[in-house]
Amino acid sequence: ILVIEADETTALPIRATNVPRVQVGMKRLGPDDIVPALRAHDPRHWYGDQETEPTPIAARDTFAIGLRRNRPGTVPLQLASTLGGETGVVAVRVLSRHRGTRDQDLDDSRAIAQVTRLGLTAKFSPHQQLVFVTDLATARPIRDASVTLRDERNRVLWTGETDVTGRAQIPGWNELGVEKTSRWESPRLFAIVQLGDDLAFTSSIYDDGVEPYRFDVNTDWAPEPVSYAGSVFSDRGLYKSGETVHLKSIL
């Protein structure tokens, strides 16, 4: 899962050694395609159990690597022809093999590239959720961007737009009727943002390297959908010796 700024070269780097050619498949994804495609093209994250194994896109086109033998190198796999514009989300699959290996031993590499000008920051919580959209080049907030919140089944839970500060405030997932998958796991949620032809997404499971504990911020690893608060107080604040104290509690 990677972000490529639309104003930069829209290419996916392929690192290879002694691989003359690979088989490539690429497909542009729409908002409805992103969540299903993640299961098939992102092996680094777990998207929950599913009855059937998701099918990745086919890799039928031949792409010549063109590197010298015995020297590691990197070549750009251009995405422009698949994008059909300056921005978009593309699923990529690359099949490769070394000489002498069998077809069943192919190396199967997959990725989803977001070519975008949108920078997304999101908070997911049972009590309140937030999506903050900025411009990648200037860091300025972006208003009137369309925000859609989906669950792991690709169901639309909420839609709205960012305000003048670039924020979309979303009800907590408990209020939206989403239940925890288990005692220790929160729901897997996906925020998909559109602005004109631009499209980007993020998820509640994408915290690699930016977990709150790394910044000395306390967090609840398994937040409960409902918070309970209690208070115990006396009928007055000052007593004489020997007086009876009456206590009341509110939960």
Side-chain angles (χ1 to χ4, degrees), residues 2 33 37 49-50 61 68 73 82 94 106 137 166 183 185 192 209 220 228 246:
L2 70 157
D33 306 322
D49 293 324
Q50 194 175 34
D61 298 329
R68 296 180 61 181
T82 303
V94 178
L106 291 174
R183 178 183 178 184
E185 293 183 15
I192 300 174
D220 189 349
Y228 297 98
H246 298 277

Side-chain angles (χ1 to χ4, degrees), residues 129 148-151 155-159 173 176-178 189:
Q129 304 179 106
T148 301
L149 187 71
R150 297 175 181 247
D151 64 9
R155 297 180 301 182
V156 175
L157 304 175
W158 183 90
T159 58
W173 48 257
L176 295 176
V178 182
L189 302 175

Side-chain angles (χ1 to χ4, degrees), residues 53-191:
E53 185 70 19
T55 303
I57 59 175
R60 298 190 177 94
D61 298 329
T62 301
F63 177 72
I65 297 296
L67 295 173
R68 296 180 61 181
R69 292 281 297 170
N70 301 325
R71 292 191 179 183
T74 304
V75 295
L77 177 63
Q78 300 294 339
L79 304 177
S81 60
T82 303
L83 282 174
E86 295 182 340
T87 60
V89 178
V90 179
V92 182
R93 187 183 187 190
V94 178
L95 300 177
S96 62
R97 67 174 179 178
H98 294 277
R99 293 180 180 178
T101 58
R102 299 169 296 178
D103 288 344
Q104 57 264 39
D105 297 326
L106 291 174
D107 179 55
D108 191 345
S109 301
R110 307 174 192 179
I112 291 185
Q114 305 181 56
V115 181
T116 180
R117 294 185 174 89
L118 305 175
L120 309 186
T121 304
K123 168 201 170 185
F124 300 91
S125 164
H127 311 295
Q128 186 211 35
Q129 304 179 106
L130 173 72
V131 174
F132 182 39
V133 184
T134 57
D135 181 85
L136 282 175
T138 65
R140 293 174 180 168
I142 293 179
R143 63 181 302 177
D144 298 329
S146 174
V147 179
T148 301
L149 187 71
R150 297 175 181 247
D151 64 9
E152 61 185 49
R153 298 180 182 178
N154 206 24
R155 297 180 301 182
V156 175
L157 304 175
W158 183 90
T159 58
E161 293 183 344
T162 56
D163 59 18
V164 67
T165 66
R167 296 181 298 178
Q169 298 192 42
I170 307 171
W173 48 257
N174 181 57
E175 184 177 337
L176 295 176
V178 182
E179 297 181 355
K180 295 181 64 171
T181 54
S182 72
R183 178 183 178 184
W184 303 110
E185 293 183 15
S186 298
R188 285 170 285 274
L189 302 175
F190 305 85

Side-chain angles (χ1 to χ4, degrees), residues 235-247:
D235 58 330
R236 48 201 159 105
L238 186 65
Y239 297 88
K240 294 180 180 179
S241 176
E243 289 186 327
T244 299
V245 177
H246 298 277
L247 301 177

